[in-house]
Amino acid sequence: MSLDEVQGARAADSDAPETDAPETEAGTETEAGTETGTRTGTGTRGPGGWAALRPLLLRLHFYAGLLIAPLLFVAATTGLLYAGSWQAEKFVYADELTVDRVGASTLPLSAQVDAAKNAAPQGSVTAVWPAPEARDTTRVILESPGLAEGETLTVFVDPYTAEVRGKLTTAGDALPLRAWLSEFHSSLQLGEFGRNYSELAASWLWVVALGGLALWIGRRRARKAALVLPDRKATGRRKTLSWHGSVGVWIAIGLVGLSATGLTWSKYAGENIGQLQDSLGGTTPAVAAKVGGAPAADAGGEHAGHGAGDGAQTAPPTPADAIGIDGAVAAARAAGVTESLRITLPAQGKGYVVKEQDKQVPVHLDAVSVDPADGRVMDELRFADYPLLAQLTRFGIDLHMGLTFGLANQLALAALAVLLMFMVVWGYRMWWLRRPTKERKLSAGRAQPRGAWRKLPVTVLLPLAAATALVGWFVPLLGISLLVFLAADLLLGFAASRRGAKV
């Protein structure tokens, strides 16, 4: 029996309340899974409100879970690997990241940069990240021939002895392992085409999470605790449903957050999000670095990839560098920019840009630009002065990446990923347990019957259609895939009606 042949069949136990009592809001749920009207003195009227919306939501949740769940499972698996990459790279690249012995004092940054230049004479230094902790190495970032777009060569220097600890090809602040896993999570290493998978998963994740949450909360239950705690006495499909629903309550906010922040990196929805943020005055500001005080261009770094770091200056260094990198750092520190520094070297007509990059709470993300001729601070930018929307975007992205609370953040992301994988498995198990038992070989789990939208009151249907169209336009892959679902459903329904007519 094919899927379309069983969609109108009895949906017993599809979403029966915990008490096995019928729902009595505006209508009742029958054994066949359809909703009957409510008796009045003048006859029968159609259900309204939640009772009318629920069958449509059931059908949408069923198909979204069935067809999008594999992408969600892959995204959760790759996201789990990425969450663990922060700690993994500390072990894999321990030689490059740490020193053997902490010295009494560090050498000038200029001496460390000279050591890096000697180790990589073919490269051009664009940025320097001084060692943030006593046992850390200094990172000297170079543009080097033969590297792919977005890649740089990083030389790791012992700040006490100027010994070169190693060289690695990096992408922003991501070392090779994390850079590879970041690309694997976002595109499965399939380039621009592969990014469609992650955008499609992120586009549907919030729909599936919020739809499932509404369905679960809307069920009648004998015990209020059953909303958030699985029923350990239940068996079979009811037990699986109990775990699927209660765990979903716990992780729903996290899943919606991952969906929203993940879309900021997407190709299509991400562009719309960026435009909306700009129109609402939430553009992320940038420190003015041009000598003479000309305004700087928008930083535009909030929607970059997981491994994104500071944009490197590729123009030739300006000859009017009288203060050197040590003078620039001294000027920045005097201006209060002191934590986890990243220094971008001057390009032609621009000065030094010294930024804080400590994204753990409390964050330190202030920045200054310094005139390379005389050490004058040309511009200051404090994170406290960012627009509120830009601050929230920064926090959201860093939470998604596992930065805001460090190891605790990464463990929370890993737990979310594992639980999402379980949610997918439980969902498929429920679908399997709902299949007809007489024809197991070709049978499939039942879906909510068609035509639920026709039972919606016009006052609900029209706003719902308008909201769906707006969301589908703003999140294009969601809108396109939803149209595909609807078209396929119409074709299956037409084929089923033709077969029924012949019979």
Side-chain angles (χ1 to χ4, degrees):
M1 183 180 294
S2 62
L3 179 59
D4 55 297
E5 288 174 325
V6 299
Q7 285 172 342
R10 184 172 65 92
D13 199 29
S14 61
D15 252 285
E18 294 283 336
T19 59
D20 287 332
E23 296 192 356
T24 57
E25 294 160 290
T28 58
E29 187 177 19
T30 67
E31 182 73 7
T34 59
E35 299 216 5
T36 63
T38 302
R39 291 287 179 181
T40 66
T42 59
T44 302
R45 62 179 175 84
W50 171 247
L53 185 60
R54 182 172 175 272
L56 181 64
L57 196 57
L58 275 169
R59 189 166 179 81
L60 177 64
H61 190 71
F62 172 81
Y63 276 116
L66 183 65
L67 302 175
I68 301 298
L71 298 182
L72 297 180
F73 191 91
V74 171
T77 303
T78 57
L80 175 62
L81 295 174
Y82 180 78
S85 66
W86 293 94
Q87 301 302 318
E89 68 180 6
K90 294 180 181 180
F91 294 96
V92 175
Y93 305 110
D95 289 342
E96 289 84 0
L97 293 174
T98 58
V99 300
D100 291 332
R101 184 177 62 86
V102 176
S105 61
T106 60
L107 297 172
L109 278 178
S110 56
Q112 300 176 51
V113 171
D114 288 341
K117 288 180 179 179
N118 293 333
Q122 76 281 10
S124 174
V125 178
T126 60
V128 179
W129 301 357
E133 302 291 342
R135 292 192 60 84
D136 294 339
T137 54
T138 294
R139 301 191 193 188
V140 180
I141 317 299
L142 304 94
E143 296 284 354
S144 186
L147 297 180
E149 182 179 359
E151 292 184 341
T152 54
L153 178 66
T154 299
V155 179
F156 299 83
V157 181
D158 187 325
Y160 306 103
T161 64
E163 173 194 1
V164 172
R165 300 284 296 175
K167 296 183 290 184
L168 294 172
T169 299
T170 55
D173 65 350
L175 304 185
L177 174 62
R178 182 157 56 88
W180 192 92
L181 289 174
S182 172
E183 185 66 21
F184 186 51
H185 177 55
S186 62
S187 69
L188 298 180
Q189 293 291 338
L190 297 176
E192 286 298 314
F193 175 79
R195 291 180 64 186
N196 293 325
Y197 118 82
S198 59
E199 181 167 357
L200 190 59
S203 298
W204 276 97
L205 178 57
W206 68 274
V207 178
V208 174
L210 291 181
L213 183 64
L215 289 170
W216 185 247
I217 292 176
R219 289 166 56 87
R220 293 185 61 192
R221 45 182 54 84
R223 298 178 301 108
K224 292 183 179 180
L227 177 67
V228 294
L229 296 176
D231 185 358
R232 298 189 177 185
K233 296 181 180 180
T235 58
R237 182 182 176 278
R238 185 176 293 277
K239 179 180 180 180
T240 305
L241 176 62
S242 177
W243 279 94
H244 184 83
S246 57
V247 171
V249 171
W250 287 101
I251 67 174
I253 294 178
L255 296 182
V256 172
L258 287 178
S259 174
T261 53
L263 285 174
T264 63
W265 286 297
S266 65
K267 182 177 182 180
Y268 304 107
E271 182 177 348
N272 291 334
I273 291 172
Q275 292 175 355
L276 178 62
Q277 181 177 340
D278 294 346
S279 67
L280 294 176
T283 303
T284 301
V287 65
K290 189 173 183 179
V291 175
D298 173 24
E302 302 300 355
H303 307 296
H306 286 179
D310 297 325
Q313 304 287 346
T314 56
T318 175
D321 187 2
I323 63 170
I325 189 172
D326 294 293
V329 171
R333 292 187 184 279
V337 178
T338 59
E339 302 294 330
S340 189
L341 299 183
R342 298 186 180 183
I343 306 112
T344 300
L345 272 60
Q348 189 66 42
K350 294 186 177 182
Y352 286 96
V353 175
V354 184
K355 296 181 178 181
E356 294 178 324
Q357 288 296 313
D358 181 8
K359 298 177 181 178
Q360 293 193 37
V361 175
V363 300
H364 299 92
L365 295 172
D366 298 342
V368 296
S369 58
V370 180
D371 192 321
D374 55 16
R376 174 178 59 89
V377 173
M378 301 184 294
D379 189 27
E380 299 183 15
L381 178 62
R382 306 296 173 179
F383 183 69
D385 296 329
Y386 278 34
L388 177 60
L389 187 56
Q391 292 183 350
L392 294 176
T393 301
R394 178 75 272 163
F395 282 124
I397 289 175
D398 291 339
L399 278 169
H400 187 116
M401 294 177 65
L403 289 170
T404 303
F405 300 108
L407 178 59
N409 197 163
Q410 294 148 26
L411 291 174
L413 289 174
L416 265 179
V418 171
L419 290 175
L420 177 56
M421 294 161 68
F422 271 106
M423 293 290 288
V424 171
V425 172
W426 286 329
Y428 275 110
R429 174 170 170 77
M430 286 190 293
W431 176 58
W432 174 253
L433 292 175
R434 284 169 57 185
R435 73 197 190 285
T437 56
K438 293 182 179 180
E439 301 180 30
R440 292 178 182 273
K441 292 183 178 180
L442 298 177
S443 62
R446 300 181 179 94
Q448 185 72 16
R450 291 187 183 88
W453 65 272
R454 290 194 294 267
K455 298 181 176 64
L456 289 176
V458 175
T459 54
V460 175
L461 179 60
L462 292 182
L464 180 63
T468 302
L470 179 62
V471 172
W473 172 83
F474 191 77
V475 187
L477 290 192
L478 173 63
I480 292 172
S481 57
L482 182 57
L483 287 176
V484 172
F485 286 177
L486 292 175
D489 198 40
L490 287 173
L491 290 175
L492 289 173
F494 178 74
S497 64
R498 288 289 300 272
R499 282 193 299 269
K502 290 180 181 179
V503 174

